[in-house]
C-alpha cells in the first residue's frame, strides 16, 4: 500500500488552512456587526438612560464604551478559538507519520509531533464549535448573520473524512513495512540456523577415525 504523497498532504493542509481562514473572516465580520449596535441595543440604552434620570446616583450610560467592550470580548473569544484550531499547522509535522520509524528502529526521532487521530478530531471540534458560537452570539443580540452560508458543513465533513482515511492508509503502509522487515529478519535467522546445521552434519559425516576424536 503506497503512503500519501507530499502533494496529497499539502492539499489537505491547504484545505484546512482555507476553512480556518474562512471562519476567521466571518467571525471578524460578525464582531464588526455587533460593534455597531442595532435597534435592540437602542431600546436597551434608552431604557437605561431613562432609569438614570430617575436614579441620579446611577452611573451614566456610555453607549460607545459598552458596544466597544462587547465587541472586544467576542473578538478575543473568536481569536482564541481560531488559535486553538490553527496551532495544528505550527506544532505538527504534516507528513502525518513522519516521526514514525518503525518498531525495528530504536533511536529517538527528532521530527516534530506527527499528526494523530486525536489531533484531527480536536481540529474539527474547534472548527465546528467556532461556527456554532459565532451564530449563537448573533442570535443572542438579535443580529442578522453578515456571512450566511459561509460555513460549508459538507466541505468540512469531506476534509475530515479525507484526513482520517489518509492517516489510516499511512499507518497501514508503515505497519506493512514493519511486517516485511520482521519477516525478513525471521527468515534470515532461519537461514542462518539451517546453514549451521548443514555445516555440523557435513563435519560429523566425514569419515574420521576414532583416533582423531581422541586426539
Amino acid at each position: 500500500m503506497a503512503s500519501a504523497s507530499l502533494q496529497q498532504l499539502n492539499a489537505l493542509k491547504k484545505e484546512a488552512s482555507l476553512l480556518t481562514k474562512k471562519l476567521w473572516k466571518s467571525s471578524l465580520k460578525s464582531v464588526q456587526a455587533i460593534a455597531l449596535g442595532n435597534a435592540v441595543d437602542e431600546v436597551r440604552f434608552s431604557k437605561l438612560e431613562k432609569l438614570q434620570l430617575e436614579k441620579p446616583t446611577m452611573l451614566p450610560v456610555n453607549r460607545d464604551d459598552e458596544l466597544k467592550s462587547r465587541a472586544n470580548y467576542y473578538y478575543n473569544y473568536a481569536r482564541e478559538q481560531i488559535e486553538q484550531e490553527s496551532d495544528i499547522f505550527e506544532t505538527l509535522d504534516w507528513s502525518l507519520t513522519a516521526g514514525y520509524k518503525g518498531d525495528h528502529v530504536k533511536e529517538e526521532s527528532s521530527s516534530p509531533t506527527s499528526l494523530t487521530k486525536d489531533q484531527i478530531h480536536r481540529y474539527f471540534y474547534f472548527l465546528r464549535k467556532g461556527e456554532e458560537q459565532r451564530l449563537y452570539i448573533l442570535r443572542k443580540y438579535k443580529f442578522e448573520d453578515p456571512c450566511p452560508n459561509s460555513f460549508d458543513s459538507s466541505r468540512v465533513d469531506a476534509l475530515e473524512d479525507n484526513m482520517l482515511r489518509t492517516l489510516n492508509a499511512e499507518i497501514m503502509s508503515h505497519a506493512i513495512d514493519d511486517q516485511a522487515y520482521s519477516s525478513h529478519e525471521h527468515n534470515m535467522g532461519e537461514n542462518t540456523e539451517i546453514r549451521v546445521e548443514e555445516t555440523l552434519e557435513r563435519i560429523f559425516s566425514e569419515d574420521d577415525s576414532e583416533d582423531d576424536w581422541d586426539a
Side-chain angles (χ1 to χ4, degrees), residues 19 22-23 26-27 131 134 145 147-152 155:
L19 291 176
K22 194 172 184 180
L23 176 59
S26 61
S27 297
E131 174 65 5
R134 184 186 75 83
D145 188 353
C147 307
N149 304 317
S150 62
F151 191 85
D152 190 340
R155 185 175 173 182

Side-chain angles (χ1 to χ4, degrees), residues 77-95:
Y77 177 84
R79 181 176 179 179
E80 181 182 353
Q81 288 291 110
I82 293 295
E83 286 176 349
Q84 290 184 85
E85 296 163 19
S86 61
D87 69 359
I88 196 173
F89 305 118
E90 303 299 330
T91 62
L92 299 177
D93 186 344
W94 270 78
S95 56

Side-chain angles (χ1 to χ4, degrees), residues 125-151:
Y125 167 78
F126 281 116
L127 188 68
R128 293 185 176 102
K129 183 180 178 183
E131 174 65 5
E132 290 173 1
Q133 291 298 314
R134 184 186 75 83
L135 295 176
Y136 168 77
I137 292 166
L138 292 172
R139 289 194 301 268
K140 179 180 179 180
Y141 295 107
K142 313 299 182 184
F143 281 87
E144 294 291 331
D145 188 353
C147 307
N149 304 317
S150 62
F151 191 85

Side-chain angles (χ1 to χ4, degrees), residues 30-110:
S30 299
V31 168
Q32 290 169 355
I34 66 174
L36 297 175
N38 59 9
V40 176
D41 290 321
E42 181 63 29
V43 172
R44 181 171 63 88
F45 286 136
S46 295
K47 288 181 179 179
L48 289 173
E49 289 168 346
K50 183 179 180 180
L51 185 60
Q52 183 187 357
L53 293 175
E54 298 173 357
K55 297 181 179 181
T57 56
M58 181 179 172
L59 293 175
V61 178
N62 189 320
R63 297 187 179 204
D64 290 339
D65 281 353
E66 288 207 26
L67 291 175
K68 183 178 180 180
S69 176
R70 182 177 70 182
N72 285 338
Y73 175 82
Y74 288 108
Y75 168 81
N76 290 329
Y77 177 84
R79 181 176 179 179
E80 181 182 353
Q81 288 291 110
I82 293 295
E83 286 176 349
Q84 290 184 85
E85 296 163 19
S86 61
D87 69 359
I88 196 173
F89 305 118
E90 303 299 330
T91 62
L92 299 177
D93 186 344
W94 270 78
S95 56
L96 295 178
T97 51
Y100 180 92
K101 288 190 174 183
D103 294 335
H104 57 277
V105 179
K106 302 301 182 182
E107 63 265 20
E108 294 286 336
S109 171
S110 59

